[in-house]
Amino acid sequence: MFFEDLEYNGKSIPQTILGYGPFMAELYFGHRSRLYLDDLYNNPQNISEVIIESYNQGVRAINLVNDDNLLKAYDIAVSEGCEMKVIATIGKSDVDYLNPNYEVAKEVDWDEDIDLFSQYDCPLMLVDEFITDGYDWGLTSKILNRINDAGSLSGLVTAFPMRTTELIPQHLDMDLFDFYMIPYNSLSYMMDISAFNASQRQEFIEKVVRLNKKIIATRILAAGVLKPQEAFTFYKNVDFVDAICMGVASVSEASEDFTILKEY
């Protein structure tokens, strides 16, 4: 499951993408964020070792943002023979994930990000969630057009898959983008859904499917709340997701999680 490439509009997108959440010590990890800050973000060599082990387990794509420590770690891994495709998130800012200021998020130099990642093997660039969910549709359209002009496939990231999915067709030219990254797990953790019974799940899936985009699921382990076996068992019955983006926080985690994923 998820260890092949998705061929789309002349580009190859690996279906399993290594996420950057733990590497960037994102605050949604709670008390673990501090540990990730010391063990990973402030130690690019440690990040590179996790990337290398993920590569050794068959992962052939990584989600990157424009951050010096993260890019340094990736460059170290590349020097060790990791030939990964880059799925870039454009417009990542220092906005607090738990209390986002969308106006500040819009001020990021997203144009610089596109120029940077155009130098990588980068088949797909995604607009950061704090821009997408800020609902400045003119800005979002401008970034998507710029990505398309740069020669990459384009897409959106959202942290609010229920609300944002409803708004997108009303406000965006649907021909501007091809991919949509959303949080999706059996607990509806980090999703804008208070509960996730069968009827709510079906309603959600129908809204996403109507967009007719390639879907990348993230937060599949619910930021570590779910064990890999639980998360992957849930995904055995998910047929609308085209790829997954999954973060791991250590070499041992990479070895264990991706080994288990291969069994599904």
Side-chain angles (χ1 to χ4, degrees), residues 46-90:
N46 290 352
I47 296 176
S48 73
E49 291 171 5
V50 179
I51 296 173
I52 291 167
E53 178 59 27
S54 301
Y55 180 84
N56 290 340
Q57 293 296 329
V59 179
R60 292 295 181 266
I62 184 170
N63 187 200
L64 293 180
V65 297
N66 186 0
D67 178 89
D68 289 344
N69 283 17
L70 182 60
L71 295 178
K72 180 178 180 181
Y74 178 67
D75 288 343
I76 294 170
V78 169
S79 72
E80 295 294 325
C82 289
E83 297 181 5
M84 286 184 166
K85 292 185 181 296
V86 171
I87 309 303
T89 295
I90 301 301

Side-chain angles (χ1 to χ4, degrees), residues 83-120:
E83 297 181 5
M84 286 184 166
K85 292 185 181 296
V86 171
I87 309 303
T89 295
I90 301 301
K92 169 76 171 172
S93 60
D94 293 329
V95 169
D96 182 352
Y97 195 97
L98 303 179
N99 187 28
N101 185 324
Y102 295 105
E103 292 304 311
V104 171
K106 291 192 298 185
E107 296 173 0
V108 70
D109 191 348
W110 51 267
D111 209 47
E112 177 187 354
D113 292 356
I114 296 172
D115 288 339
L116 170 69
F117 287 114
S118 292
Q119 301 172 45
Y120 288 72

Side-chain angles (χ1 to χ4, degrees), residues 25 44 67 76 84 123 127 137 142 169 189 199 204 210 231 246 250:
D67 178 89
I76 294 170
M84 286 184 166
V127 179
W137 303 108
K142 186 176 181 180
Y189 187 81
S199 62
F204 173 78
R210 277 198 297 269
M246 189 176 87
S250 67

Side-chain angles (χ1 to χ4, degrees), residues 22-56:
F23 301 155
M24 295 291 290
E26 297 284 17
L27 293 179
Y28 54 73
F29 287 108
H31 71 278
R32 285 174 291 153
S33 296
R34 179 67 191 188
L35 299 175
Y36 296 162
L37 182 67
D38 294 336
D39 295 343
L40 293 169
Y41 183 74
N42 290 331
N43 287 280
Q45 179 64 45
N46 290 352
I47 296 176
S48 73
E49 291 171 5
V50 179
I51 296 173
I52 291 167
E53 178 59 27
S54 301
Y55 180 84
N56 290 340

Side-chain angles (χ1 to χ4, degrees), residues 173-222:
D173 178 350
M174 297 298 287
D175 292 332
L176 279 179
F177 69 102
D178 305 290
F179 285 76
Y180 190 38
M181 181 183 280
I182 61 172
Y184 189 65
N185 56 73
S186 61
L187 303 177
S188 70
Y189 187 81
M190 298 186 73
M191 300 172 64
D192 55 339
I193 302 172
S194 57
F196 214 27
N197 57 37
S199 62
Q200 288 172 312
R201 187 175 298 159
Q202 187 58 37
E203 178 190 0
F204 173 78
I205 291 171
E206 289 173 1
K207 287 182 180 181
V208 172
V209 169
R210 277 198 297 269
L211 291 181
N212 194 30
K213 302 299 175 185
K214 297 300 180 183
I215 304 300
I216 303 173
T218 186
R219 316 280 191 266
I220 69 169
L221 299 178

